[in-house]
Amino acid sequence: MTRSAESEAAIAVVRRNTEEVQGKGNFAIFDEVFSEDFLDHTPQPNMVPDKEGVRGLYAGLRKAFPDFHAVIHWQTADGNLVTTFKTYYGTHKGTFLGIEPTGKTIQFETVDAMRVVDGKITEHWGVANLYSLVGQLGLQLQPKG
């Protein structure tokens, strides 16, 4: 497989996860796109950094935002490492981070990198603008001091 073909295949796996699992809640394919030894190098607070942790995160987001989905702005890959910039959207209809449903529509940006080996996501690094998200839900964060 050439480097370009490897990158294209990796991008397809990451895009499938974003569109099908995260965006449509199709957990039937979750095991097809995540490896058993998946490791999240930047897990969200109170989440375990493994495959079951990311499954729980995705399920929790879909419960809190039933119409949760992403718009991918761009993706690039260096071999099997895919970087994606996207904006997530949803309507807050379930409890999220202890915040009761508000009915508000939200959006927040994310940049993440995922490594794909043998057609499955094995690693993740990411930065999400959760500060913006909690502000949209009405949580007022006060600086210390």
Side-chain angles (χ1 to χ4, degrees):
M1 182 179 270
T2 67
R3 189 167 185 83
S4 176
E6 177 184 36
S7 293
E8 289 302 317
I11 286 171
V13 171
V14 172
R15 183 172 288 272
R16 187 174 185 213
N17 173 57
T18 301
E19 293 174 350
E20 295 295 322
V21 181
Q22 292 178 337
K24 295 180 182 171
N26 185 354
F27 285 91
I29 66 166
F30 183 86
D31 289 325
E32 293 177 29
V33 296
F34 279 90
S35 75
E36 290 303 317
D37 61 349
F38 170 80
L39 175 62
D40 191 343
H41 296 278
T42 52
Q44 296 303 317
N46 302 316
M47 293 288 171
V48 292
D50 61 11
K51 183 177 178 178
E52 291 312 308
V54 78
R55 185 190 314 261
L57 173 65
Y58 287 3
L61 285 166
R62 293 224 40 98
K63 186 175 180 184
F65 307 96
D67 57 347
F68 190 74
H69 66 284
V71 171
I72 296 173
H73 302 294
W74 56 261
Q75 288 182 294
T76 188
D78 182 6
N80 66 0
L81 185 62
V82 178
T83 302
T84 306
F85 172 59
K86 58 194 164 199
T87 301
Y88 287 112
Y89 298 88
T91 307
H92 187 213
K93 295 187 175 185
T95 302
F96 181 71
L97 297 176
I99 303 169
E100 293 297 318
T102 63
K104 295 180 180 179
T105 57
I106 56 90
Q107 68 180 58
F108 64 98
E109 301 78 21
T110 299
V111 176
D112 61 17
M114 292 182 157
R115 185 175 314 281
V116 177
V117 176
D118 296 328
K120 295 191 179 213
I121 300 166
T122 60
E123 294 179 271
H124 170 263
W125 299 260
V127 179
N129 190 351
L130 295 180
Y131 186 80
S132 169
L133 172 59
V134 297
Q136 292 170 59
L137 297 177
L139 184 62
Q140 299 299 315
L141 301 176
Q142 300 297 321
K144 289 185 176 186

